[in-house]
Amino acid sequence: MTFPMKAGLRLAFAAACFAPSPLAAQQAWQPVEKIEAYAITGQSGIELYESIGERGPKAGIGRAVAVTTFKLTWSRDYRPEGGGCRLAAAKPKLTIVYHLPKPAKKLPPATQALWGYFIAGIEAHERVHGEFIVDMVRKIEAVSVGLTVADDRKCTKIREELTKHLAALSQEQRTRGRDFDRQELRDGGNVHRLVLRLVNGDRAMPPEAMPLPGEMPLPDVAPLPGVAPLPGVAVP
């Protein structure tokens, strides 16, 4: 997603999905969440923000302030039954990683206060994307376990059917995330206000000082490892 900065920073997310399980199984697993920091430099809000532009993780054609990625694998139990195949069980293993900036050196008290407010808001934003990922996985889990396909003794057709569910729910999650980003990054949105406060502190900011979120298009984030496959891609 675009970020209001001349360097063309982007807040981006990478999200995805996979499959399965009834209520008991839904309650049996929990995602693992991690934070991975990348170092930035500077002693003022604007210096820190400029360092993010230079050192942030790449996202699309620009760089990201923060990125949410994940790794997802599944253990699935396909069972031939009555000439067909049933997906009897599937357990996900989901790790969500929040990639966030972190100052390399101790900050002056005033800058630390600005930074603390900024990074708390950015992390909160990224954790919403994490919630979208978890919700997607649980939805796929719900529609996958118990899925049955007739005339499928070798359990091959059921994988094709499962792929259709994965693709649809993956697209739903991506759309949900982008809609959320647009709301947060609009002029006056939560993330836009976070940036203005970091670079300006309590000072008023001239409208022409920074481009608004709508002035640059959102990046089309390419699928990353662990992202749900598109239609036609075999499901293990």
Side-chain angles (χ1 to χ4, degrees):
M1 50 183 165
T2 47
F3 211 77
M5 182 176 179
K6 292 181 179 179
L9 290 185
R10 298 175 185 275
L11 259 175
F13 73 94
C17 57
F18 287 106
S21 184
L23 181 60
Q26 287 180 358
Q27 297 173 342
W29 69 271
Q30 292 295 329
V32 175
E33 294 183 294
K34 298 180 179 180
I35 292 179
E36 291 188 0
Y38 67 92
I40 58 173
T41 61
Q43 291 291 287
S44 67
I46 187 61
E47 288 175 353
L48 293 171
Y49 194 56
E50 289 174 344
S51 182
I52 289 173
E54 297 170 352
R55 303 187 179 196
K58 292 184 178 180
I61 61 174
R63 287 189 179 273
V65 173
V67 175
T68 298
T69 61
F70 70 90
K71 179 179 180 181
L72 177 61
T73 57
W74 288 88
S75 297
R76 296 188 177 97
D77 181 10
Y78 295 101
R79 296 184 182 181
E81 291 183 355
C85 183
R86 179 171 66 91
L87 181 51
K91 186 174 181 180
K93 183 177 180 181
L94 174 64
T95 300
I96 300 173
V97 183
Y98 304 105
H99 305 266
L100 302 171
K102 182 178 181 180
K105 296 182 179 180
K106 185 177 180 179
L107 302 174
T111 304
Q112 179 59 54
L114 290 172
W115 177 257
Y117 187 90
F118 173 78
I119 195 60
I122 294 299
E123 181 177 340
H125 173 95
E126 291 303 313
R127 286 188 180 276
V128 172
H129 285 300
E131 292 172 5
F132 291 166
I133 293 169
V134 173
D135 184 59
M136 174 188 56
V137 173
R138 294 196 187 281
K139 285 181 178 179
I140 296 175
E141 184 179 39
V143 301
S144 298
V145 172
L147 180 66
T148 301
V149 173
D151 189 24
D152 188 22
R153 297 177 184 275
K154 295 184 178 181
C155 291
T156 56
K157 295 179 181 178
I158 195 171
R159 288 171 168 80
E160 297 176 3
E161 183 65 24
L162 180 57
T163 295
K164 297 177 183 178
H165 290 292
L166 299 183
L169 288 171
S170 176
Q171 184 57 48
E172 176 186 299
Q173 184 275 330
R174 287 167 65 86
T175 299
R176 188 180 181 189
R178 287 181 177 178
D179 287 346
F180 172 66
D181 287 340
R182 288 188 175 95
Q183 179 66 20
E184 291 273 286
L185 287 165
R186 63 179 174 81
D187 185 15
N190 290 334
V191 173
H192 189 226
R193 293 199 303 270
L194 287 171
V195 173
L196 295 179
R197 178 166 177 167
L198 176 65
V199 300
N200 291 309
D202 295 328
R203 294 180 289 111
M205 182 178 193
E208 66 274 13
M210 293 177 64
L212 300 178
E215 294 181 359
M216 293 180 288
L218 295 176
D220 184 11
V221 180
L224 300 179
V227 174
L230 297 176
V233 179
V235 175

